[in-house]
Amino acid sequence: IESGGEFRLFPRGTSMLPLIRQGVDSVILVKPDEKLKKREIIFYRRDNGQFVLHRILKVSKDGTYILCGDNQTVLEKQVRDDSVIASVSAVYRGEKRVDATAFSFRVYQFFWCVMPIRKIIFLARRILSKIKQIFKGQA
């Protein structure tokens, strides 16, 4: 990555659902551009040593990043440039490559990165799950 190449990573976990599905999808990591931007997905290392793949929701005035997984609502603040290892240039949905510059990818980013929309979707999921549990109990 550091020398300008790319690396295909098969992420584990659910933090980037619905975009990246564990065991099905993968991402192409490249050396980040000089200036990372809002909505980019980055691969970084937390202070505790954990490697994480999350999206930039905001670039703070002090140059740090506010990040969040697509399947999360809790923000991770104060992520520094020296923690960033790579950025995502493409996502493989199964075997189909979708470049981060593709129109469909940018539309997804735009709508999914709006936190109120995401919170409404998460709330609806929880309500539907509770309703299913209630009806299972009656069967």
Side-chain angles (χ1 to χ4, degrees):
I1 291 175
E2 193 60 39
S3 65
E6 59 182 39
F7 180 79
R8 190 168 181 179
L9 176 74
F10 293 82
R12 294 184 349 177
T14 59
S15 71
M16 287 302 290
L17 284 170
L19 180 65
I20 302 168
R21 303 162 295 177
Q22 178 177 304
V24 179
D25 302 326
S26 60
V27 296
I28 299 297
L29 299 176
V30 297
K31 185 176 180 179
D33 289 339
E34 293 294 319
K35 193 81 165 154
L36 292 168
K37 299 173 199 75
K38 181 179 179 178
R39 299 189 187 107
E40 278 189 72
I41 301 170
I42 61 170
F43 183 66
Y44 64 102
R45 188 175 190 170
R46 289 183 173 147
D47 291 338
N48 67 5
Q50 184 180 22
F51 293 97
V52 183
L53 189 71
H54 279 170
R55 186 181 303 281
I56 298 172
L57 293 185
K58 183 178 181 180
V59 179
S60 300
K61 290 180 182 175
D62 65 0
T64 61
Y65 306 102
I66 297 174
L67 306 174
C68 192
D70 285 2
N71 194 30
Q72 298 177 326
T73 56
V74 176
L75 303 179
E76 185 167 355
K77 300 177 181 179
Q78 303 275 310
V79 176
R80 303 172 315 275
D81 272 322
D82 62 353
S83 300
V84 178
I85 298 165
S87 64
V88 172
S89 66
V91 174
Y92 277 89
R93 298 275 298 157
E95 291 304 314
K96 182 182 178 191
R97 181 184 172 116
V98 181
D99 288 321
T101 56
F103 179 74
S104 60
F105 193 88
R106 290 183 300 159
V107 168
Y108 169 84
Q109 285 181 146
F110 178 78
F111 285 106
W112 197 253
C113 288
V114 178
M115 286 302 262
I117 292 173
R118 189 186 322 201
K119 287 180 180 180
I120 290 168
I121 291 170
F122 291 158
L123 177 63
R125 279 189 202 161
R126 280 196 300 266
I127 291 169
L128 287 173
S129 176
K130 299 261 188 220
I131 290 170
K132 285 180 184 177
Q133 288 176 353
I134 290 168
F135 283 110
K136 275 186 179 178
Q138 293 179 357

